[in-house]
Amino acid sequence: MKKKFLYYSSLLLLFTSGCYKDVPVDVIIDPQGAAQGDVVGKVTVGYQGWFSALGDSSPFNQWYHGNLEMWPDTREYQNLYTGTYFGQDGVQVGPFYGNLGNGQPAKMFSSYDQSTLNLHFKWMQQYGIDCAALQRFGNEIAPGEVLKAQRDGVALRLKNAAETYGRKFYINYDLSGTTDLAAIKADWTNTIVGQLKLTASNAYARQNGKIVVSIYGLGYARHTTSPADALDLVNWFKARGCYVIGSCPGQWRTGTGDSRGDFLNVYKAFNMISAWPVGRAVDASYAPWVEGDRDFCKANGIDYQPCAYPGTAYSNSNGQNVSPRNEFARKHGDFMWSQFAAFKKAGVPSVYVAMFDELNEATSIFKVAEDASMAPAGKYFLNLDADGVHVSSDFYLRLTNDGVKMIKGQIPYTEHEPTPFTVN
């Protein structure tokens, strides 16, 4: 999604609409939160869905987004593909037909494959993740373009998976690569609502009876959209009965750093605000930052959804001279838990997690390689044992589940994560 910036006892079974598959006994739900809607009082994960592979029968049918910083744990996937490209210290290499460190063939999944989406949403169900925000990139939605067809196909498969596993989803427009707001309006009307009919799904997220949509990119210093045009877009969605989330720059309130100073009235128009933190340290300024955002939102009648991330690095894309390896270290869960702890102390009920499947910037919380035995042999990837502690490939899914339980008041507040590093 965004390039790096320095920032679920039992499941309620809805028998009237059919039983959900593979419902585990230890999944958590918050009845009060359920009454509030699908994003307030819930945990949402960002979902890229942008990985494709040669031979996956997708419109693109080529390797795409192979600049991987982490390697996925692919043991549970139904369909995998060989010959992927990937980055190494800023240089793309491949096609790679070699093995993992354990001697098994190195294969990659495709996000266009329905079995991939089903597995990911099964994990979301198992680990208590309520909702997924599907990233839709404003520079990839031109009618007739192959990337639009790719994105449309992934969106339909994601809808199917969400319906199958009882999760919610919504569209998150990423405007970082475009200022064509008319194209966003046309895409929502003609494709999301019209052609794909995503919002007609019982899995499409609603809050306060309104369809949820999120917008990322407005208000960044590098983005040239005017406040008037940005406000027009927000109000356009609201006029169509949407609950609009603003995924804002980290310093949105102050208009400093990555944020423009003339967007305050735009931010006030959002129904919910979620500041982008990836690349921000958790230091003495972190809790006051969260509390300041909370207080501003409360004072202005806006819902608040802080964003947590497990760590990030981007060396295989940019090279070590630009982006050091393991730059914002995960510290075997300590880094992410410190964010959950700050949210709990601040009394906020909703959380966005960046990201579920973001292998490129090493923010992924889904199952990835534990150590060098599970990554391509002789190649560098940021494996989960990078900080000297071996954790299982599902550790960050389990840690997120524990963090959600703490936020929802189902386990007590604890400063340090209670999540075991490994499970039997």
Side-chain angles (χ1 to χ4, degrees):
M1 183 184 175
K2 302 96 179 172
K3 299 306 178 191
K4 185 173 73 64
F5 307 116
L6 292 179
Y7 324 126
Y8 204 146
S9 216
S10 64
L11 180 70
L12 181 64
L13 296 178
L14 302 180
F15 291 107
T16 58
S17 60
C19 294
Y20 298 143
K21 294 177 62 177
D22 303 316
V23 179
V25 297
D26 59 343
V27 173
I28 63 173
I29 188 167
D30 176 19
Q32 182 179 1
Q36 296 170 332
D38 297 327
V39 291
V40 173
K42 302 299 177 65
V43 58
T44 299
V45 291
Y47 193 86
Q48 300 284 27
W50 60 11
F51 302 103
S52 63
L54 180 63
D56 65 1
S57 300
S58 68
F60 196 61
N61 195 31
Q62 294 290 334
W63 294 104
Y64 191 49
H65 281 286
N67 54 324
L68 309 179
E69 192 76 10
M70 306 186 93
W71 189 263
D73 175 1
T74 58
R75 291 175 294 182
E76 297 179 53
Y77 289 80
Q78 179 178 324
N79 298 320
L80 294 167
Y81 305 85
T82 59
T84 183
Y85 290 76
F86 50 73
Q88 291 285 279
D89 198 16
V91 178
Q92 190 178 61
V93 300
F96 187 77
Y97 292 101
N99 295 330
L100 305 176
N102 59 18
Q104 297 295 314
K107 297 183 179 183
M108 179 61 186
F109 66 81
S110 167
S111 302
Y112 195 83
D113 194 307
Q114 184 67 67
S115 66
T116 295
L117 276 296
N118 288 350
L119 179 61
H120 290 173
F121 275 74
K122 178 180 178 179
W123 288 344
M124 291 183 202
Q125 182 198 68
Q126 290 176 330
Y127 296 99
I129 294 166
D130 301 301
C131 185
L134 175 62
Q135 315 305 301
R136 191 166 177 88
F137 302 90
N139 60 344
E140 297 180 357
I141 58 174
E145 293 292 334
V146 66
L147 280 177
K148 180 182 183 299
Q150 186 83 14
R151 295 296 185 193
D152 292 353
V154 170
L156 285 174
R157 286 156 177 78
L158 184 141
K159 175 187 74 73
N160 294 339
E163 291 174 348
T164 298
Y165 290 98
R167 304 300 88 192
K168 300 294 184 177
F169 76 98
Y170 62 82
I171 294 296
N172 180 359
Y173 279 108
D174 187 328
L175 307 187
S176 56
T178 185
T179 57
D180 188 353
L181 305 189
I184 303 302
K185 296 176 183 179
D187 182 72
W188 177 261
T189 301
N190 299 331
T191 300
I192 302 304
V193 176
Q195 175 192 345
L196 302 181
K197 303 186 188 305
L198 298 184
T199 59
S201 170
N202 60 7
Y204 197 93
R206 288 163 172 78
Q207 184 63 45
N208 305 336
K210 300 178 180 181
I211 294 292
V212 177
V213 65
S214 179
I215 304 171
Y216 168 82
L218 297 177
Y220 276 93
R222 68 186 182 280
H223 205 276
T224 60
T225 296
S226 71
D229 287 342
L231 185 59
D232 174 76
L233 180 65
V234 175
N235 287 332
W236 184 90
F237 276 109
K238 293 173 74 172
R240 280 147 186 81
C242 292
Y243 176 96
V244 188
I245 303 174
S247 181
C248 302
Q251 296 167 285
W252 62 278
R253 281 186 292 112
T254 61
T256 59
D258 61 342
S259 178
R260 291 171 53 173
D262 55 353
F263 264 68
L264 203 58
N265 286 334
V266 180
Y267 302 140
K268 289 180 179 180
F270 286 116
N271 298 107
M272 172 180 273
I273 282 179
S274 185
W276 187 248
V278 175
R280 184 184 184 117
V282 181
D283 52 21
S285 69
Y286 187 81
W289 173 62
V290 170
E291 293 162 1
D293 284 2
R294 174 204 63 192
D295 293 345
F296 181 99
C297 289
K298 183 177 181 180
N300 288 277
I302 305 168
D303 293 323
Y304 176 47
Q305 182 194 57
C307 175
Y309 75 106
T312 189
Y314 213 51
S315 67
N316 275 347
S317 292
N318 293 341
Q320 296 179 69
N321 291 333
V322 176
S323 302
R325 291 178 174 178
N326 201 18
E327 185 171 5
F328 284 80
R330 296 186 174 216
K331 301 179 181 178
H332 45 79
D334 287 354
F335 182 72
M336 189 172 187
W337 191 264
S338 65
Q339 298 163 67
F340 283 132
F343 300 163
K344 181 62 177 179
K345 291 183 74 172
V348 297
S350 314
V351 177
Y352 187 98
V353 175
M355 305 277 291
F356 186 83
D357 59 337
E358 173 62 282
L359 295 164
N360 313 83
E361 299 173 22
T363 62
S364 47
I365 63 164
F366 73 165
K367 300 182 185 185
V368 297
E370 300 172 4
D371 51 46
S373 72
M374 297 173 65
K379 305 298 182 182
Y380 171 77
F381 289 93
L382 182 58
N383 303 316
L384 292 182
D385 66 346
D387 300 314
V389 175
H390 186 273
V391 303
S392 63
S393 67
D394 71 341
F395 175 71
Y396 285 91
L397 289 169
R398 292 187 291 108
L399 185 143
T400 297
N401 186 223
D402 287 336
V404 173
K405 290 177 179 177
M406 183 174 71
I407 296 294
K408 293 182 177 182
Q410 296 171 342
I411 63 173
Y413 168 83
T414 175
E415 183 179 355
H416 302 288
E417 78 267 16
T419 313
F421 293 138
T422 61
V423 292
N424 296 325

